mmCIF file with all atom_site columns, all heavy atoms in Angstrom:
data_model
loop_
_atom_site.group_PDB
_atom_site.id
_atom_site.type_symbol
_atom_site.label_atom_id
_atom_site.label_alt_id
_atom_site.label_comp_id
_atom_site.label_asym_id
_atom_site.label_entity_id
_atom_site.label_seq_id
_atom_site.pdbx_PDB_ins_code
_atom_site.Cartn_x
_atom_site.Cartn_y
_atom_site.Cartn_z
_atom_site.occupancy
_atom_site.B_iso_or_equiv
_atom_site.pdbx_formal_charge
_atom_site.auth_seq_id
_atom_site.auth_comp_id
_atom_site.auth_asym_id
_atom_site.auth_atom_id
_atom_site.pdbx_PDB_model_num
ATOM 1   N N   . VAL A 1 1  ? -1.061  -10.846 -10.921 1.00 98.00 ? 624 VAL A N   1
ATOM 2   C CA  . VAL A 1 1  ? -2.382  -10.595 -10.330 1.00 98.00 ? 624 VAL A CA  1
ATOM 3   C C   . VAL A 1 1  ? -2.860  -9.186  -10.660 1.00 98.00 ? 624 VAL A C   1
ATOM 4   O O   . VAL A 1 1  ? -4.037  -8.955  -10.960 1.00 98.00 ? 624 VAL A O   1
ATOM 5   C CB  . VAL A 1 1  ? -2.338  -10.811 -8.801  1.00 98.00 ? 624 VAL A CB  1
ATOM 6   C CG1 . VAL A 1 1  ? -3.601  -10.269 -8.130  1.00 98.00 ? 624 VAL A CG1 1
ATOM 7   C CG2 . VAL A 1 1  ? -2.155  -12.286 -8.471  1.00 98.00 ? 624 VAL A CG2 1
ATOM 8   N N   . GLY A 1 2  ? -1.936  -8.216  -10.614 1.00 97.00 ? 625 GLY A N   1
ATOM 9   C CA  . GLY A 1 2  ? -2.290  -6.828  -10.871 1.00 97.00 ? 625 GLY A CA  1
ATOM 10  C C   . GLY A 1 2  ? -2.874  -6.580  -12.249 1.00 97.00 ? 625 GLY A C   1
ATOM 11  O O   . GLY A 1 2  ? -3.572  -5.589  -12.470 1.00 97.00 ? 625 GLY A O   1
ATOM 12  N N   . GLU A 1 3  ? -2.604  -7.488  -13.207 1.00 97.00 ? 626 GLU A N   1
ATOM 13  C CA  . GLU A 1 3  ? -3.129  -7.341  -14.561 1.00 97.00 ? 626 GLU A CA  1
ATOM 14  C C   . GLU A 1 3  ? -4.549  -7.881  -14.696 1.00 97.00 ? 626 GLU A C   1
ATOM 15  O O   . GLU A 1 3  ? -5.241  -7.582  -15.681 1.00 97.00 ? 626 GLU A O   1
ATOM 16  C CB  . GLU A 1 3  ? -2.208  -8.060  -15.552 1.00 97.00 ? 626 GLU A CB  1
ATOM 17  C CG  . GLU A 1 3  ? -0.784  -7.530  -15.587 1.00 97.00 ? 626 GLU A CG  1
ATOM 18  C CD  . GLU A 1 3  ? 0.110   -8.351  -16.491 1.00 97.00 ? 626 GLU A CD  1
ATOM 19  O OE1 . GLU A 1 3  ? -0.015  -8.206  -17.730 1.00 97.00 ? 626 GLU A OE1 1
ATOM 20  O OE2 . GLU A 1 3  ? 0.921   -9.153  -15.978 1.00 97.00 ? 626 GLU A OE2 1
ATOM 21  N N   . LEU A 1 4  ? -4.983  -8.671  -13.739 1.00 97.00 ? 627 LEU A N   1
ATOM 22  C CA  . LEU A 1 4  ? -6.295  -9.325  -13.817 1.00 97.00 ? 627 LEU A CA  1
ATOM 23  C C   . LEU A 1 4  ? -7.282  -8.839  -12.763 1.00 97.00 ? 627 LEU A C   1
ATOM 24  O O   . LEU A 1 4  ? -8.482  -9.059  -12.894 1.00 97.00 ? 627 LEU A O   1
ATOM 25  C CB  . LEU A 1 4  ? -6.124  -10.847 -13.650 1.00 97.00 ? 627 LEU A CB  1
ATOM 26  C CG  . LEU A 1 4  ? -5.273  -11.554 -14.708 1.00 97.00 ? 627 LEU A CG  1
ATOM 27  C CD1 . LEU A 1 4  ? -4.985  -12.986 -14.270 1.00 97.00 ? 627 LEU A CD1 1
ATOM 28  C CD2 . LEU A 1 4  ? -5.977  -11.541 -16.061 1.00 97.00 ? 627 LEU A CD2 1
ATOM 29  N N   . MET A 1 5  ? -6.794  -8.188  -11.756 1.00 97.00 ? 628 MET A N   1
ATOM 30  C CA  . MET A 1 5  ? -7.625  -7.809  -10.603 1.00 97.00 ? 628 MET A CA  1
ATOM 31  C C   . MET A 1 5  ? -8.659  -6.753  -10.967 1.00 97.00 ? 628 MET A C   1
ATOM 32  O O   . MET A 1 5  ? -8.546  -6.055  -11.989 1.00 97.00 ? 628 MET A O   1
ATOM 33  C CB  . MET A 1 5  ? -6.741  -7.270  -9.475  1.00 97.00 ? 628 MET A CB  1
ATOM 34  C CG  . MET A 1 5  ? -6.118  -5.920  -9.790  1.00 97.00 ? 628 MET A CG  1
ATOM 35  S SD  . MET A 1 5  ? -5.067  -5.298  -8.464  1.00 97.00 ? 628 MET A SD  1
ATOM 36  C CE  . MET A 1 5  ? -4.700  -3.640  -9.096  1.00 97.00 ? 628 MET A CE  1
ATOM 37  N N   . LEU A 1 6  ? -9.658  -6.639  -10.101 1.00 96.00 ? 629 LEU A N   1
ATOM 38  C CA  . LEU A 1 6  ? -10.596 -5.512  -10.157 1.00 96.00 ? 629 LEU A CA  1
ATOM 39  C C   . LEU A 1 6  ? -9.940  -4.367  -9.401  1.00 96.00 ? 629 LEU A C   1
ATOM 40  O O   . LEU A 1 6  ? -9.643  -4.495  -8.206  1.00 96.00 ? 629 LEU A O   1
ATOM 41  C CB  . LEU A 1 6  ? -11.927 -5.897  -9.508  1.00 96.00 ? 629 LEU A CB  1
ATOM 42  C CG  . LEU A 1 6  ? -13.014 -4.817  -9.484  1.00 96.00 ? 629 LEU A CG  1
ATOM 43  C CD1 . LEU A 1 6  ? -13.515 -4.535  -10.896 1.00 96.00 ? 629 LEU A CD1 1
ATOM 44  C CD2 . LEU A 1 6  ? -14.165 -5.236  -8.580  1.00 96.00 ? 629 LEU A CD2 1
ATOM 45  N N   . ALA A 1 7  ? -9.697  -3.265  -10.079 1.00 97.00 ? 630 ALA A N   1
ATOM 46  C CA  . ALA A 1 7  ? -8.980  -2.138  -9.467  1.00 97.00 ? 630 ALA A CA  1
ATOM 47  C C   . ALA A 1 7  ? -9.784  -1.522  -8.334  1.00 97.00 ? 630 ALA A C   1
ATOM 48  O O   . ALA A 1 7  ? -11.019 -1.558  -8.325  1.00 97.00 ? 630 ALA A O   1
ATOM 49  C CB  . ALA A 1 7  ? -8.664  -1.084  -10.515 1.00 97.00 ? 630 ALA A CB  1
ATOM 50  N N   . ARG A 1 8  ? -9.084  -0.949  -7.391  1.00 96.00 ? 631 ARG A N   1
ATOM 51  C CA  . ARG A 1 8  ? -9.703  -0.355  -6.202  1.00 96.00 ? 631 ARG A CA  1
ATOM 52  C C   . ARG A 1 8  ? -10.828 0.626   -6.555  1.00 96.00 ? 631 ARG A C   1
ATOM 53  O O   . ARG A 1 8  ? -11.873 0.642   -5.906  1.00 96.00 ? 631 ARG A O   1
ATOM 54  C CB  . ARG A 1 8  ? -8.627  0.340   -5.364  1.00 96.00 ? 631 ARG A CB  1
ATOM 55  C CG  . ARG A 1 8  ? -9.182  1.087   -4.152  1.00 96.00 ? 631 ARG A CG  1
ATOM 56  C CD  . ARG A 1 8  ? -8.084  1.562   -3.253  1.00 96.00 ? 631 ARG A CD  1
ATOM 57  N NE  . ARG A 1 8  ? -8.614  2.346   -2.131  1.00 96.00 ? 631 ARG A NE  1
ATOM 58  C CZ  . ARG A 1 8  ? -7.995  2.512   -0.974  1.00 96.00 ? 631 ARG A CZ  1
ATOM 59  N NH1 . ARG A 1 8  ? -6.815  1.950   -0.777  1.00 96.00 ? 631 ARG A NH1 1
ATOM 60  N NH2 . ARG A 1 8  ? -8.535  3.242   -0.010  1.00 96.00 ? 631 ARG A NH2 1
ATOM 61  N N   . ALA A 1 9  ? -10.629 1.440   -7.582  1.00 95.00 ? 632 ALA A N   1
ATOM 62  C CA  . ALA A 1 9  ? -11.621 2.452   -7.954  1.00 95.00 ? 632 ALA A CA  1
ATOM 63  C C   . ALA A 1 9  ? -12.937 1.829   -8.411  1.00 95.00 ? 632 ALA A C   1
ATOM 64  O O   . ALA A 1 9  ? -13.972 2.502   -8.421  1.00 95.00 ? 632 ALA A O   1
ATOM 65  C CB  . ALA A 1 9  ? -11.062 3.344   -9.059  1.00 95.00 ? 632 ALA A CB  1
ATOM 66  N N   . GLU A 1 10 ? -12.911 0.550   -8.797  1.00 95.00 ? 633 GLU A N   1
ATOM 67  C CA  . GLU A 1 10 ? -14.114 -0.123  -9.299  1.00 95.00 ? 633 GLU A CA  1
ATOM 68  C C   . GLU A 1 10 ? -14.805 -0.979  -8.236  1.00 95.00 ? 633 GLU A C   1
ATOM 69  O O   . GLU A 1 10 ? -15.879 -1.531  -8.481  1.00 95.00 ? 633 GLU A O   1
ATOM 70  C CB  . GLU A 1 10 ? -13.752 -1.004  -10.486 1.00 95.00 ? 633 GLU A CB  1
ATOM 71  C CG  . GLU A 1 10 ? -13.142 -0.256  -11.657 1.00 95.00 ? 633 GLU A CG  1
ATOM 72  C CD  . GLU A 1 10 ? -12.720 -1.197  -12.768 1.00 95.00 ? 633 GLU A CD  1
ATOM 73  O OE1 . GLU A 1 10 ? -13.604 -1.807  -13.387 1.00 95.00 ? 633 GLU A OE1 1
ATOM 74  O OE2 . GLU A 1 10 ? -11.505 -1.349  -12.977 1.00 95.00 ? 633 GLU A OE2 1
ATOM 75  N N   . ILE A 1 11 ? -14.199 -1.099  -7.065  1.00 95.00 ? 634 ILE A N   1
ATOM 76  C CA  . ILE A 1 11 ? -14.758 -1.951  -6.015  1.00 95.00 ? 634 ILE A CA  1
ATOM 77  C C   . ILE A 1 11 ? -15.995 -1.308  -5.412  1.00 95.00 ? 634 ILE A C   1
ATOM 78  O O   . ILE A 1 11 ? -15.995 -0.131  -5.058  1.00 95.00 ? 634 ILE A O   1
ATOM 79  C CB  . ILE A 1 11 ? -13.712 -2.203  -4.899  1.00 95.00 ? 634 ILE A CB  1
ATOM 80  C CG1 . ILE A 1 11 ? -12.502 -2.954  -5.468  1.00 95.00 ? 634 ILE A CG1 1
ATOM 81  C CG2 . ILE A 1 11 ? -14.328 -2.996  -3.746  1.00 95.00 ? 634 ILE A CG2 1
ATOM 82  C CD1 . ILE A 1 11 ? -11.358 -3.095  -4.472  1.00 95.00 ? 634 ILE A CD1 1
ATOM 83  N N   . LYS A 1 12 ? -17.059 -2.103  -5.286  1.00 92.00 ? 635 LYS A N   1
ATOM 84  C CA  . LYS A 1 12 ? -18.289 -1.624  -4.645  1.00 92.00 ? 635 LYS A CA  1
ATOM 85  C C   . LYS A 1 12 ? -18.177 -1.820  -3.124  1.00 92.00 ? 635 LYS A C   1
ATOM 86  O O   . LYS A 1 12 ? -17.671 -2.843  -2.666  1.00 92.00 ? 635 LYS A O   1
ATOM 87  C CB  . LYS A 1 12 ? -19.502 -2.389  -5.165  1.00 92.00 ? 635 LYS A CB  1
ATOM 88  C CG  . LYS A 1 12 ? -19.745 -2.222  -6.662  1.00 92.00 ? 635 LYS A CG  1
ATOM 89  C CD  . LYS A 1 12 ? -20.108 -0.780  -6.994  1.00 92.00 ? 635 LYS A CD  1
ATOM 90  C CE  . LYS A 1 12 ? -20.565 -0.634  -8.444  1.00 92.00 ? 635 LYS A CE  1
ATOM 91  N NZ  . LYS A 1 12 ? -19.507 -0.950  -9.421  1.00 92.00 ? 635 LYS A NZ  1
ATOM 92  N N   . ILE A 1 13 ? -18.641 -0.826  -2.374  1.00 96.00 ? 636 ILE A N   1
ATOM 93  C CA  . ILE A 1 13 ? -18.533 -0.901  -0.916  1.00 96.00 ? 636 ILE A CA  1
ATOM 94  C C   . ILE A 1 13 ? -19.873 -0.619  -0.241  1.00 96.00 ? 636 ILE A C   1
ATOM 95  O O   . ILE A 1 13 ? -20.774 -0.036  -0.841  1.00 96.00 ? 636 ILE A O   1
ATOM 96  C CB  . ILE A 1 13 ? -17.484 0.092   -0.367  1.00 96.00 ? 636 ILE A CB  1
ATOM 97  C CG1 . ILE A 1 13 ? -18.013 1.539   -0.504  1.00 96.00 ? 636 ILE A CG1 1
ATOM 98  C CG2 . ILE A 1 13 ? -16.140 -0.065  -1.056  1.00 96.00 ? 636 ILE A CG2 1
ATOM 99  C CD1 . ILE A 1 13 ? -17.293 2.538   0.364   1.00 96.00 ? 636 ILE A CD1 1
ATOM 100 N N   . LEU A 1 14 ? -19.984 -1.057  0.986   1.00 97.00 ? 637 LEU A N   1
ATOM 101 C CA  . LEU A 1 14 ? -21.068 -0.645  1.878   1.00 97.00 ? 637 LEU A CA  1
ATOM 102 C C   . LEU A 1 14 ? -20.437 0.050   3.073   1.00 97.00 ? 637 LEU A C   1
ATOM 103 O O   . LEU A 1 14 ? -19.354 -0.348  3.517   1.00 97.00 ? 637 LEU A O   1
ATOM 104 C CB  . LEU A 1 14 ? -21.876 -1.856  2.358   1.00 97.00 ? 637 LEU A CB  1
ATOM 105 C CG  . LEU A 1 14 ? -22.878 -2.468  1.387   1.00 97.00 ? 637 LEU A CG  1
ATOM 106 C CD1 . LEU A 1 14 ? -23.458 -3.745  1.981   1.00 97.00 ? 637 LEU A CD1 1
ATOM 107 C CD2 . LEU A 1 14 ? -23.999 -1.482  1.061   1.00 97.00 ? 637 LEU A CD2 1
ATOM 108 N N   . GLN A 1 15 ? -21.099 1.072   3.578   1.00 97.00 ? 638 GLN A N   1
ATOM 109 C CA  . GLN A 1 15 ? -20.576 1.759   4.751   1.00 97.00 ? 638 GLN A CA  1
ATOM 110 C C   . GLN A 1 15 ? -20.978 1.010   6.017   1.00 97.00 ? 638 GLN A C   1
ATOM 111 O O   . GLN A 1 15 ? -22.113 0.536   6.142   1.00 97.00 ? 638 GLN A O   1
ATOM 112 C CB  . GLN A 1 15 ? -21.091 3.195   4.809   1.00 97.00 ? 638 GLN A CB  1
ATOM 113 C CG  . GLN A 1 15 ? -20.542 4.073   3.695   1.00 97.00 ? 638 GLN A CG  1
ATOM 114 C CD  . GLN A 1 15 ? -20.979 5.520   3.825   1.00 97.00 ? 638 GLN A CD  1
ATOM 115 O OE1 . GLN A 1 15 ? -21.875 5.849   4.590   1.00 97.00 ? 638 GLN A OE1 1
ATOM 116 N NE2 . GLN A 1 15 ? -20.336 6.397   3.072   1.00 97.00 ? 638 GLN A NE2 1
ATOM 117 N N   . LEU A 1 16 ? -20.036 0.899   6.938   1.00 97.00 ? 639 LEU A N   1
ATOM 118 C CA  . LEU A 1 16 ? -20.271 0.179   8.189   1.00 97.00 ? 639 LEU A CA  1
ATOM 119 C C   . LEU A 1 16 ? -21.450 0.774   8.951   1.00 97.00 ? 639 LEU A C   1
ATOM 120 O O   . LEU A 1 16 ? -22.258 0.037   9.529   1.00 97.00 ? 639 LEU A O   1
ATOM 121 C CB  . LEU A 1 16 ? -19.007 0.218   9.053   1.00 97.00 ? 639 LEU A CB  1
ATOM 122 C CG  . LEU A 1 16 ? -19.075 -0.496  10.403  1.00 97.00 ? 639 LEU A CG  1
ATOM 123 C CD1 . LEU A 1 16 ? -19.360 -1.986  10.217  1.00 97.00 ? 639 LEU A CD1 1
ATOM 124 C CD2 . LEU A 1 16 ? -17.771 -0.299  11.177  1.00 97.00 ? 639 LEU A CD2 1
ATOM 125 N N   . LYS A 1 17 ? -21.564 2.087   8.952   1.00 96.00 ? 640 LYS A N   1
ATOM 126 C CA  . LYS A 1 17 ? -22.647 2.750   9.692   1.00 96.00 ? 640 LYS A CA  1
ATOM 127 C C   . LYS A 1 17 ? -24.007 2.316   9.156   1.00 96.00 ? 640 LYS A C   1
ATOM 128 O O   . LYS A 1 17 ? -24.944 2.065   9.928   1.00 96.00 ? 640 LYS A O   1
ATOM 129 C CB  . LYS A 1 17 ? -22.496 4.267   9.572   1.00 96.00 ? 640 LYS A CB  1
ATOM 130 C CG  . LYS A 1 17 ? -23.317 5.062   10.588  1.00 96.00 ? 640 LYS A CG  1
ATOM 131 C CD  . LYS A 1 17 ? -22.759 4.880   11.991  1.00 96.00 ? 640 LYS A CD  1
ATOM 132 C CE  . LYS A 1 17 ? -23.516 5.737   12.991  1.00 96.00 ? 640 LYS A CE  1
ATOM 133 N NZ  . LYS A 1 17 ? -23.051 5.515   14.382  1.00 96.00 ? 640 LYS A NZ  1
ATOM 134 N N   . ALA A 1 18 ? -24.136 2.225   7.835   1.00 96.00 ? 641 ALA A N   1
ATOM 135 C CA  . ALA A 1 18 ? -25.401 1.804   7.229   1.00 96.00 ? 641 ALA A CA  1
ATOM 136 C C   . ALA A 1 18 ? -25.673 0.333   7.528   1.00 96.00 ? 641 ALA A C   1
ATOM 137 O O   . ALA A 1 18 ? -26.818 -0.070  7.739   1.00 96.00 ? 641 ALA A O   1
ATOM 138 C CB  . ALA A 1 18 ? -25.356 2.037   5.725   1.00 96.00 ? 641 ALA A CB  1
ATOM 139 N N   . LEU A 1 19 ? -24.610 -0.458  7.570   1.00 96.00 ? 642 LEU A N   1
ATOM 140 C CA  . LEU A 1 19 ? -24.750 -1.895  7.825   1.00 96.00 ? 642 LEU A CA  1
ATOM 141 C C   . LEU A 1 19 ? -25.267 -2.165  9.230   1.00 96.00 ? 642 LEU A C   1
ATOM 142 O O   . LEU A 1 19 ? -25.975 -3.151  9.463   1.00 96.00 ? 642 LEU A O   1
ATOM 143 C CB  . LEU A 1 19 ? -23.391 -2.568  7.634   1.00 96.00 ? 642 LEU A CB  1
ATOM 144 C CG  . LEU A 1 19 ? -23.388 -4.057  7.270   1.00 96.00 ? 642 LEU A CG  1
ATOM 145 C CD1 . LEU A 1 19 ? -24.074 -4.280  5.938   1.00 96.00 ? 642 LEU A CD1 1
ATOM 146 C CD2 . LEU A 1 19 ? -21.966 -4.573  7.233   1.00 96.00 ? 642 LEU A CD2 1
ATOM 147 N N   . GLU A 1 20 ? -24.925 -1.287  10.166  1.00 95.00 ? 643 GLU A N   1
ATOM 148 C CA  . GLU A 1 20 ? -25.338 -1.468  11.561  1.00 95.00 ? 643 GLU A CA  1
ATOM 149 C C   . GLU A 1 20 ? -26.855 -1.432  11.726  1.00 95.00 ? 643 GLU A C   1
ATOM 150 O O   . GLU A 1 20 ? -27.396 -1.985  12.678  1.00 95.00 ? 643 GLU A O   1
ATOM 151 C CB  . GLU A 1 20 ? -24.691 -0.396  12.443  1.00 95.00 ? 643 GLU A CB  1
ATOM 152 C CG  . GLU A 1 20 ? -23.181 -0.568  12.588  1.00 95.00 ? 643 GLU A CG  1
ATOM 153 C CD  . GLU A 1 20 ? -22.524 0.605   13.307  1.00 95.00 ? 643 GLU A CD  1
ATOM 154 O OE1 . GLU A 1 20 ? -23.207 1.635   13.502  1.00 95.00 ? 643 GLU A OE1 1
ATOM 155 O OE2 . GLU A 1 20 ? -21.343 0.503   13.652  1.00 95.00 ? 643 GLU A OE2 1
ATOM 156 N N   . ASN A 1 21 ? -27.544 -0.785  10.793  1.00 95.00 ? 644 ASN A N   1
ATOM 157 C CA  . ASN A 1 21 ? -29.004 -0.663  10.877  1.00 95.00 ? 644 ASN A CA  1
ATOM 158 C C   . ASN A 1 21 ? -29.717 -1.495  9.812   1.00 95.00 ? 644 ASN A C   1
ATOM 159 O O   . ASN A 1 21 ? -30.905 -1.303  9.561   1.00 95.00 ? 644 ASN A O   1
ATOM 160 C CB  . ASN A 1 21 ? -29.408 0.807   10.723  1.00 95.00 ? 644 ASN A CB  1
ATOM 161 C CG  . ASN A 1 21 ? -28.798 1.688   11.797  1.00 95.00 ? 644 ASN A CG  1
ATOM 162 O OD1 . ASN A 1 21 ? -28.891 1.383   12.975  1.00 95.00 ? 644 ASN A OD1 1
ATOM 163 N ND2 . ASN A 1 21 ? -28.157 2.768   11.392  1.00 95.00 ? 644 ASN A ND2 1
ATOM 164 N N   . ALA A 1 22 ? -28.989 -2.422  9.177   1.00 97.00 ? 645 ALA A N   1
ATOM 165 C CA  . ALA A 1 22 ? -29.563 -3.224  8.089   1.00 97.00 ? 645 ALA A CA  1
ATOM 166 C C   . ALA A 1 22 ? -29.716 -4.681  8.502   1.00 97.00 ? 645 ALA A C   1
ATOM 167 O O   . ALA A 1 22 ? -29.123 -5.146  9.476   1.00 97.00 ? 645 ALA A O   1
ATOM 168 C CB  . ALA A 1 22 ? -28.675 -3.126  6.848   1.00 97.00 ? 645 ALA A CB  1
ATOM 169 N N   . SER A 1 23 ? -30.528 -5.398  7.735   1.00 97.00 ? 646 SER A N   1
ATOM 170 C CA  . SER A 1 23 ? -30.715 -6.838  7.945   1.00 97.00 ? 646 SER A CA  1
ATOM 171 C C   . SER A 1 23 ? -29.971 -7.603  6.855   1.00 97.00 ? 646 SER A C   1
ATOM 172 O O   . SER A 1 23 ? -29.509 -7.016  5.859   1.00 97.00 ? 646 SER A O   1
ATOM 173 C CB  . SER A 1 23 ? -32.200 -7.195  7.892   1.00 97.00 ? 646 SER A CB  1
ATOM 174 O OG  . SER A 1 23 ? -32.696 -7.020  6.577   1.00 97.00 ? 646 SER A OG  1
ATOM 175 N N   . ILE A 1 24 ? -29.867 -8.915  7.029   1.00 97.00 ? 647 ILE A N   1
ATOM 176 C CA  . ILE A 1 24 ? -29.256 -9.750  5.998   1.00 97.00 ? 647 ILE A CA  1
ATOM 177 C C   . ILE A 1 24 ? -30.045 -9.619  4.696   1.00 97.00 ? 647 ILE A C   1
ATOM 178 O O   . ILE A 1 24 ? -29.473 -9.566  3.607   1.00 97.00 ? 647 ILE A O   1
ATOM 179 C CB  . ILE A 1 24 ? -29.197 -11.212 6.455   1.00 97.00 ? 647 ILE A CB  1
ATOM 180 C CG1 . ILE A 1 24 ? -28.251 -11.365 7.649   1.00 97.00 ? 647 ILE A CG1 1
ATOM 181 C CG2 . ILE A 1 24 ? -28.746 -12.119 5.307   1.00 97.00 ? 647 ILE A CG2 1
ATOM 182 C CD1 . ILE A 1 24 ? -28.204 -12.767 8.234   1.00 97.00 ? 647 ILE A CD1 1
ATOM 183 N N   . ALA A 1 25 ? -31.370 -9.542  4.802   1.00 97.00 ? 648 ALA A N   1
ATOM 184 C CA  . ALA A 1 25 ? -32.219 -9.391  3.617   1.00 97.00 ? 648 ALA A CA  1
ATOM 185 C C   . ALA A 1 25 ? -31.852 -8.124  2.842   1.00 97.00 ? 648 ALA A C   1
ATOM 186 O O   . ALA A 1 25 ? -31.821 -8.125  1.598   1.00 97.00 ? 648 ALA A O   1
ATOM 187 C CB  . ALA A 1 25 ? -33.689 -9.347  4.026   1.00 97.00 ? 648 ALA A CB  1
#
């Protein structure tokens, strides 16, 4: 799996704090 995975450094994230004030849209 480690040879095929998307490495941690490449993972896109959203911050929880920003999500608290956002909509599904």
Side-chain angles (χ1 to χ4, degrees):
V624 168
E626 299 175 75
L627 299 169
M628 70 181 187
L629 180 68
R631 176 171 177 156
E633 300 176 67
I634 297 173
K635 298 295 189 296
I636 71 162
L637 283 173
Q638 292 184 347
L639 180 61
K640 196 69 176 176
L642 205 62
E643 291 172 349
N644 300 310
S646 68
I647 294 176

